[in-house]
Amino acid sequence: MIQATNKPDGGGGRATATFDALVIGAGIAGLYQLYRLRELGLNVRAIDAASGVGGTWYWNRYPGARVDSEGYVYHYLFSETLYKGWSWSERYPSQPEIERWLNYVADQLDLRKDIQFGTRVQSAHFNGATERWVVATDKGDVIDTQFLVTCCGMLSAPHVSFPGQETFRGQVFHTARWPRQLVEFAGKRVGVVGIGATGIQVIQTIAEEVDQLKVFVRTPQYVLPMKNPKYTAADVEAYKSKFKVLTERLPHTFTGFEFDVEYAWPDLSAQQRRKVLEDCWNDGSVKLWVSSFAELFFDEAVNAEISEFVRAKMRERLTDPKLCDLLIPSDYGFGTHRVPLEQNFLEAFHRTNVEIVSVKTNAIERITAEGIQTTDGTVHALDVIILATGFDAGTGALTRIDIRGRGGRSLKEDWGRDIRTTMGLQVHGYPNLFTTAVPLAPAAALCNETTCLQQQVEWITGCISYLRDKNFKVIEPSKELEDQWVAHHDALAKAMLIAKTNSWYLGSNVEGKPRRVLSYTGGVGNYRKKCDEVAASGYRGFVTH
């Protein structure tokens, strides 16, 4: 529990803890934000609902969970000592290793003493009289803070929408709330709902273990094969020797990865284009998606050709025409949804114990005591149901907190009408509220998450440092500045094919959610440049006093 000062809150007699800054979340962004604000000399506290650090990598411990950025770029780059003090065991580390890495970071930076675990923030209200935030938790804490920084994650609010779940006699798990204890699958009938990136990892991992596996498929996915070699000591030494190169390169590429787009489609012959595509495919990474040709995202003819290239690769691995129909996309283009990496995911469907249940036209109606019922009345009997049903991306983590800004305005209500932010870092009407991994900034879509989150934390830290140097108490983006940013964001997004395809990129997986491309699509390097320009201008367009 927070060690509270002896200051009454004016209601109910509860004590109030007072801080300069409160950070919500102890994942990649939250740990770094806590460290940076503490280095400024602020009295700062972080709060997290989990029992330990990790954020997404604490909760997402489902079978097969692993990162699809190479470990050597999925790292903090502010400290060479911290970077070189940790060695990854393989190219794409799994969840247990990433969780250990984040614990290593917390230990090396001595962060735990300033984190309150096992605590969920329920509300955060801006007090117009004091111009500070009053935050309440489920543990009864009432916290008074000047600055509130949310580091809750882009993909952290599970999206589940099936009635009758509580009646199921077996076990139900959402992949984003997986239990710490081992889940036994041997001899069981297991159903997996969803084949996005998470569902793919679960399916390819447990197919050999279960007695029967039913996969409920609505939208097929383009996939890329993951090549995940174990690292030797020489491999580790090689990537660590690139530390300075990575610090100079990653923040300025289009997606925050080491590789970047090198060729323009019109400049190459058909044979040369094919070679680029083959080389990217054989790299065993997301390279084909994020750094083959920029035209993939804008030009329908180019996208169609690359899409067919990927479909052909998938058809080579699927021997059954029915599997091809159900697992290979035909009605949207490659790269307009997130493109998962996989390891023998397609081959899992050749197993006799694995069955596809198409729910595109015969939807899941409810969960019953026995299993999953579709609209045609069929009940698929199961012992375990795994919901890989995705997230209320970008907004869900914050709208599940009662956040109220100036004049009592509600962030949930505001975003329920129109999802708007200023650079994804602040929101008009919510003074001294800073945000990471929210809409209109680079995030999980088209971004190596660690690169983007570090930049956002550093901008927030610089802004707070500026306020303290100038003896300002409050900063808030003007409506005019926010209008300008939203217009800029939308102009970029509307030029992309992503904007024409239903997916969580637009929030279309959540009924009633306002439609907008959630992630900034102008490129990680360009976004950084614009943020730096705002800071260099003395935060022109922001209201301070």
Side-chain angles (χ1 to χ4, degrees):
M1 292 288 289
I2 286 175
Q3 295 297 312
T5 60
N6 225 353
K7 178 181 174 184
D9 72 348
R14 291 181 295 177
T16 299
T18 302
F19 295 101
D20 297 322
L22 183 72
V23 176
I24 305 177
I28 289 170
L31 292 178
Y32 188 34
Q33 188 67 80
L34 172 60
Y35 171 76
R36 290 302 300 265
L37 293 179
R38 203 170 66 178
E39 290 295 288
L40 285 184
L42 271 65
N43 179 23
V44 57
R45 179 60 54 94
I47 289 180
D48 198 290
S51 63
V53 302
T56 294
W57 295 110
Y58 174 94
W59 297 106
N60 287 258
R61 55 181 69 250
Y62 58 83
R66 70 175 63 247
V67 70
D68 54 10
S69 297
E70 289 95 335
Y72 75 91
V73 301
Y74 201 78
H75 215 302
Y76 296 110
L77 295 175
F78 65 91
S79 166
E80 186 170 4
T81 300
L82 189 71
Y83 184 88
K84 292 186 174 179
W86 179 264
S87 300
W88 294 112
S89 69
E90 56 187 344
R91 187 184 188 189
Y92 296 102
S94 63
Q95 181 275 334
E97 188 170 6
I98 300 169
E99 187 180 12
R100 289 196 300 271
W101 164 61
L102 288 166
N103 276 275
Y104 155 80
V105 171
D107 291 337
Q108 291 296 306
L109 302 180
D110 193 22
L111 298 177
R112 296 180 200 279
K113 65 184 180 183
D114 293 316
I115 306 173
Q116 179 170 331
F117 294 110
T119 304
R120 190 174 298 278
V121 172
Q122 294 183 317
S123 66
H125 295 178
F126 184 73
N127 185 325
T130 63
E131 296 190 307
R132 294 172 66 88
W133 285 90
V134 179
V135 179
T137 77
D138 63 347
K139 301 299 184 186
D141 308 302
V142 178
I143 304 153
D144 178 90
T145 182
Q146 181 180 5
F147 302 110
L148 179 63
V149 187
T150 66
C151 299
C152 302
M154 181 77 172
L155 300 173
S156 59
H159 178 54
V160 184
S161 56
F162 299 119
Q165 182 174 321
E166 70 285 352
T167 68
F168 183 55
R169 294 196 187 103
Q171 296 175 293
V172 180
F173 304 102
H174 193 284
T175 51
R177 292 295 181 267
W178 201 263
R180 295 183 70 87
Q181 64 270 25
L182 181 67
V183 177
E184 295 286 351
F185 294 113
K188 294 185 178 179
R189 301 166 300 174
V190 179
V192 176
V193 182
I195 59 165
T198 296
I200 285 169
Q201 290 182 331
V202 171
I203 292 159
Q204 67 192 19
T205 302
I206 70 171
E208 295 182 356
E209 188 178 345
V210 304
D211 183 51
Q212 297 177 29
L213 180 62
K214 289 195 176 185
V215 180
F216 295 81
V217 175
R218 182 179 62 183
T219 304
Q221 304 292 325
Y222 293 97
V223 295
L224 294 172
M226 173 187 284
K227 292 184 179 178
N228 191 28
K230 299 293 184 181
Y231 278 157
T232 65
D235 293 329
V236 172
E237 180 58 32
Y239 81 66
K240 288 183 180 181
S241 71
K242 298 197 300 182
F243 174 78
K244 293 191 184 303
V245 173
L246 295 175
T247 61
E248 293 169 359
R249 180 165 176 78
L250 297 186
H252 305 290
T253 62
F254 184 73
T255 54
F257 287 91
E258 184 180 12
F259 39 72
D260 212 350
V261 176
E262 297 181 22
Y263 306 102
W265 185 268
D267 294 344
L268 302 184
S269 68
Q271 185 177 5
Q272 289 170 325
R273 293 168 190 161
R274 179 74 185 202
K275 184 178 186 309
V276 171
L277 297 180
E278 291 285 358
D279 288 347
C280 288
W281 178 270
N282 292 328
D283 191 63
S285 68
V286 295
K287 196 172 184 179
L288 180 66
W289 173 30
V290 300
S291 68
S292 58
F293 294 97
E295 292 87 354
L296 166 71
F297 299 106
F298 304 98
D299 188 314
E300 290 187 357
V302 173
N303 183 276
E305 189 166 334
I306 297 176
S307 297
E308 182 51 35
F309 170 84
V310 178
R311 292 188 195 111
K313 292 290 189 182
M314 295 175 68
R315 282 194 292 267
E316 289 174 4
R317 295 167 55 190
L318 290 169
T319 58
D320 184 340
K322 180 182 177 183
L323 292 179
C324 291
D325 290 341
L326 294 174
L327 292 172
I328 300 177
S330 59
D331 57 354
Y332 69 91
F334 175 77
T336 60
H337 285 206
R338 180 183 177 184
V339 182
L341 294 181
E342 51 80 30
Q343 296 174 291
N344 296 313
F345 163 70
L346 298 177
E347 287 74 12
F349 291 91
H350 294 150
R351 297 180 57 87
T352 57
N353 68 325
V354 177
E355 176 188 349
I356 289 185
V357 179
S358 177
V359 293
K360 190 165 188 175
T361 57
N362 183 28
I364 295 174
E365 186 171 71
R366 63 185 298 106
I367 294 176
T368 71
E370 291 77 28
I372 292 177
Q373 180 176 321
T374 50
T375 52
D376 66 356
T378 302
V379 175
H380 299 271
L382 300 166
D383 302 306
V384 179
I385 297 173
I386 299 174
L387 300 174
T389 48
F391 302 89
D392 184 353
T395 59
L398 297 191
T399 57
R400 296 179 188 193
I401 302 171
D402 178 22
I403 298 177
R404 297 187 179 269
R406 195 181 295 281
R409 63 190 297 170
S410 161
L411 187 63
K412 180 178 181 178
E413 293 174 3
D414 283 348
W415 279 357
R417 290 185 292 269
D418 191 12
I419 299 172
R420 301 166 57 86
T421 72
T422 302
M423 305 188 301
L425 295 167
Q426 283 206 296
V427 183
H428 171 67
Y430 298 82
N432 286 4
L433 173 67
F434 293 94
T435 54
T436 65
V438 302
L440 282 63
L446 301 179
C447 175
N448 176 39
E449 196 78 338
T450 49
T451 306
C452 297
L453 293 178
Q454 286 175 89
Q455 183 268 331
Q456 291 168 34
V457 165
E458 287 160 2
W459 190 92
I460 291 168
T461 304
C463 183
I464 291 175
S465 178
Y466 169 85
L467 296 175
R468 289 169 65 83
D469 289 345
K470 298 291 186 180
N471 291 317
F472 291 144
K473 291 177 60 179
V474 171
I475 187 168
E476 177 188 350
S478 66
K479 183 179 184 300
E480 293 73 20
L481 179 63
E482 188 154 287
D483 287 344
Q484 291 170 17
W485 184 257
V486 171
H488 166 70
H489 169 91
D490 285 354
L492 292 172
K494 287 175 182 177
M496 300 188 76
L497 299 177
I498 287 171
K500 302 176 182 180
T501 307
N502 287 331
S503 75
W504 67 258
Y505 280 4
L506 285 82
S508 54
N509 62 315
V510 179
E511 185 176 355
K513 188 169 182 173
R515 188 181 178 95
R516 172 166 273 131
V517 174
L518 297 175
S519 186
Y520 183 77
T521 58
V524 171
N526 289 335
Y527 173 81
R528 172 182 286 270
K529 182 179 178 182
K530 289 187 175 296
C531 290
D532 289 347
E533 288 171 353
V534 168
S537 73
Y539 302 90
R540 185 182 299 122
F542 287 81
V543 179
T544 57
H545 67 266

